[in-house]
């Protein structure tokens, strides 16, 4: 009698233990795999600088000096002055479109044939339609793939006319401002459209 009671008690206990073992065994039998993708973001940048050779008051280059962001000149009729603004696109910069604004306070006394504007046309700069003094560089500059900074010359010098009334230009200035905008997103657009979309001014 005792054996029957013991069996009745042990049988359910054994079944429960068996079910627990089977459950654990089934869980361990699943095929599993895990993988992780981690995205790291950096920010693209467009980076330019503008400078020119250091010159004395008569436009003679000081070859020992570092490049500068401005010079002072004494105006003499018929004289030619070195002035070579260059836009530098920094290595690692995103591909970009370049523009320059040239506020030329002495354009009326420059010698025709070698004016700043004429030199710019030779160097690949074109006037943006609807502006008087904003020029677009006619290629996309891709500094990202460069092994060194990309340098784009604006012009190299200016010459005053023989009869230039220089006394009227005592406080005249030539101010050059360089602009860059990413090339991505402007496919198929003209320089005029890009300038307008950039809304630099």
């Amino acid at each position: 009698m005792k054996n029957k009671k013991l069996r009745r008690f042990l049988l359910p206990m054994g079944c429960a233990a068996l079910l627990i073992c089977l459950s654990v065994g089934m869980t361990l039998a699943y095929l599993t795999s895990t993988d992780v993708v981690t995205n790291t973001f950096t920010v693209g940048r467009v980076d330019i600088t503008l400078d020119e050779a250091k010159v004395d008051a008569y436009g003679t280059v000081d070859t020992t000096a570092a490049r500068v962001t401005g010079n002072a000149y004494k105006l003499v009729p018929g004289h030619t002055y070195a002035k070579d603004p260059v836009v530098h696109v920094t290595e690692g910069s995103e591909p970009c479109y370049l523009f320059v604004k040239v506020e030329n306070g002495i354009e009326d006394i420059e010698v025709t044939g070698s004016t700043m504007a004429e030199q710019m046309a030779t160097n690949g700069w074109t006037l943006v339609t609807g502006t008087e003094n904003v020029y677009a560089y006619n290629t996309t500059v891709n500094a990202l793939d460069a092994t060194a900074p990309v340098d784009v010359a604006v012009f190299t010098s200016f010459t005053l006319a023989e009869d230039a009334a220089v006394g009227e230009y005592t406080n005249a200035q030539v101010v050059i401002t360089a602009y860059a905008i990413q090339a991505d997103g402007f496919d198929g657009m003209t320089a005029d459209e890009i300038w307008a979309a950039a809304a630099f001014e």
Side-chain angles (χ1 to χ4, degrees):
M1 194 73 162
K2 285 185 179 182
N3 284 344
K4 279 187 180 181
K5 284 184 180 180
L6 186 59
R7 271 187 282 185
R8 278 190 212 159
F9 174 75
L10 290 177
L11 185 60
M13 294 298 287
C15 287
L18 182 60
L19 282 172
I20 291 170
C21 289
L22 285 173
S23 295
V24 171
M26 288 174 66
T27 301
L28 295 176
Y30 288 134
L31 300 176
T32 62
S33 179
T34 303
D35 200 358
V36 176
V37 172
T38 301
N39 296 304
T40 301
F41 296 95
T42 58
V43 178
R45 64 190 175 93
V46 172
D47 190 17
I48 63 170
T49 59
L50 177 68
D51 61 25
E52 62 187 26
K54 173 67 177 168
V55 299
D56 66 16
Y58 298 100
T60 302
V61 175
D62 181 348
T63 56
T64 64
R67 293 180 67 82
V68 297
T69 56
N71 283 293
Y73 296 89
K74 286 186 181 178
L75 300 181
V76 177
H79 191 71
T80 297
Y81 302 80
K83 184 172 182 64
D84 66 341
V86 175
V87 181
H88 306 280
V89 184
T90 307
E91 181 181 1
S93 179
E94 297 297 322
C96 59
Y97 291 106
L98 294 181
F99 297 87
V100 290
K101 180 179 182 180
V102 180
E103 299 169 87
N104 185 355
I106 59 168
E107 63 184 334
D108 293 338
I109 55 174
E110 286 187 274
V111 170
T112 302
S114 63
T115 66
M116 296 176 200
E118 289 166 329
Q119 292 175 62
M120 290 178 71
T122 300
N123 290 342
W125 296 93
T126 55
L127 187 65
V128 173
T129 304
T131 72
E132 294 181 2
N133 56 5
V134 176
Y135 298 81
Y137 191 60
N138 63 5
T139 61
T140 302
V141 178
N142 186 346
L144 184 64
D145 297 330
T147 56
V150 176
D151 301 327
V152 181
V154 182
F155 52 85
T156 57
S157 64
F158 65 92
T159 301
L160 301 183
E162 294 284 349
D163 59 351
V166 295
E168 299 173 15
Y169 294 85
T170 301
N171 295 312
Q173 292 183 325
V174 175
V175 180
I176 301 153
T177 308
Y179 306 86
I181 186 169
Q182 68 184 56
D184 189 41
F186 293 100
D187 293 342
M189 293 177 68
T190 66
D192 302 346
E193 292 169 332
I194 295 167
W195 175 257
F200 286 118
E201 298 182 337

